[in-house]
Amino acid sequence: MALIKLHGVSRYYGEGNTLVKALEGIDLEIEKGEIIALLGPSGSGKTTLLNIIAALDVPTDGEYFFREQEVPDGNVEKMTTFRRENIGYIFQFFNLLGDLTAIENVMLVQQFIGRGNKESAQSFLDTVGLNGLEDRFPSQMSGGQRQRVAIARSLAKKPKLILGDELTGNLDSETSTVVMEALIKTCQDDGVTTIFVTHDSALTRFATRVIKLDSGKIISDKKIAFDEE
Ligand SMILES: Nc1ncnc2c1ncn2[C@@H]1O[C@H](COP(=O)(O)OP(=O)(O)O)[C@@H](O)[C@H]1O
Ligand SMILES: [Mg+2]
């Protein structure tokens, strides 16, 4: 059973002379456990695709199934519930709450979903290599550390799917590697499906599959065979 199925998904903005075809006829199936790098030039539709998969946005045309169920596409409350139950979204600019410490940021998400405690919040911070920094506020952490708190927070939701939109876009390449390693290792260990948008083709080494978009269409889709270690 595919985790995600998109059939003929299009997303248009505007009309007439100002019509923009952000996505056009996207067909895509994603299996549980895949780690997908989504590449493409600026304006090619990467964010639009991620937002549709997250049910933050609704296709103009086409169908979207998540675990064989049609994803709600009009009712804001149902879309929110779908996101809460299934999706961890990591943004480029961290989106942490500044007056909460690292561990409080993680615990807040656990409260939303009605489970979790200080120990499990701590274990998610440990997973991303932040042991000892749990009581710092975001302003007392580096960009890479903040982004790892954001990852820990997403993981704490126990989502079926993690989406990252240029999640290392703000970080230098060394820090990007640390952040991606923290994310990918945990997702692999837990079999969490991941889709990350990136400009940086070096980061495709973390992926099991690389999908390229251009002008709202998929122009290439390749699975990567890893060498046995
Ligand atoms: N809210 C919007 N209104 C109008 N056009 C939009 C909107 N959001 C995105 N677009 C257009 O859709 C296309 C795809 O955008 P986007 O998905 O953000 O691309 P990417 O993330 O690959 O840079 C671009 O041409 C962009 O200008
Ligand atoms: Mg974008």
Side-chain angles (χ1 to χ4, degrees):
M1 169 177 86
L3 182 72
I4 285 175
K5 275 189 200 173
L6 301 179
H7 287 306
V9 164
S10 299
R11 178 64 167 104
Y12 298 164
Y13 292 108
E15 54 187 64
N17 288 340
T18 62
L19 181 72
V20 175
K21 297 181 173 181
L23 291 177
E24 224 193 333
I26 299 288
D27 292 315
L28 184 60
E29 287 199 10
I30 295 173
E31 301 294 330
K32 180 177 185 301
E34 287 195 285
I35 295 173
I36 295 179
L38 188 58
L39 268 74
S42 183
S44 57
K46 305 181 297 294
T47 296
T48 305
L49 181 57
L50 225 57
N51 287 347
I52 285 174
I53 290 173
L56 283 165
D57 192 9
V58 172
T60 311
D61 205 357
E63 294 173 309
Y64 172 23
F65 297 91
F66 191 90
R67 303 171 99 210
E68 316 262 273
Q69 304 274 320
E70 201 148 2
V71 174
D73 68 353
N75 181 312
V76 173
E77 262 172 54
K78 285 186 180 160
M79 288 168 73
T80 305
T81 304
F82 169 82
R83 273 200 306 282
R84 189 175 298 155
E85 289 175 353
N86 298 298
I87 308 290
Y89 206 121
I90 305 165
F91 297 91
Q92 180 172 353
F93 295 104
F94 319 129
N95 280 61
L96 300 178
L97 293 176
D99 51 3
L100 298 184
T101 62
I103 196 162
E104 287 168 348
N105 265 282
V106 176
M107 289 172 68
L108 182 68
V109 168
Q110 293 182 314
Q111 279 163 23
F112 276 137
I113 57 166
R115 60 178 171 224
N117 52 46
K118 202 158 186 181
E119 280 115 80
S120 77
Q122 181 66 52
S123 75
F124 286 108
L125 289 172
D126 295 349
T127 302
V128 297
L130 292 178
N131 191 306
L133 301 188
E134 54 275 2
D135 294 327
R136 294 223 190 151
F137 291 94
S139 61
Q140 299 169 322
M141 305 179 102
S142 69
Q145 290 166 343
R146 272 183 257 175
Q147 194 59 308
R148 281 183 282 158
V149 177
I151 290 170
R153 191 180 54 176
S154 294
L155 295 169
K157 266 182 84 178
K158 294 268 179 192
K160 296 184 182 66
L161 177 64
I162 290 207
L163 303 172
D165 195 358
E166 316 243 5
L167 76 153
T168 61
N170 239 6
L171 308 173
D172 63 62
S173 69
E174 215 169 297
T175 313
S176 295
T177 299
V178 174
V179 167
M180 287 304 294
E181 277 170 357
L183 173 66
I184 299 305
K185 192 185 169 306
T186 327
C187 289
Q188 276 172 341
D189 289 350
D190 296 349
V192 180
T193 313
T194 312
I195 307 174
F196 65 94
V197 166
T198 183
H199 268 117
D200 182 354
S201 54
L203 294 182
T204 58
R205 70 181 185 280
F206 293 106
T208 60
R209 180 173 169 192
V210 179
I211 296 174
K212 289 187 183 156
L213 281 182
D214 200 0
S215 306
K217 294 181 180 159
I218 293 175
I219 56 160
S220 117
D221 184 350
K222 290 200 176 98
K223 295 207 171 143
I224 299 174
F226 284 111
D227 294 331
E228 297 288 330
E229 282 179 42

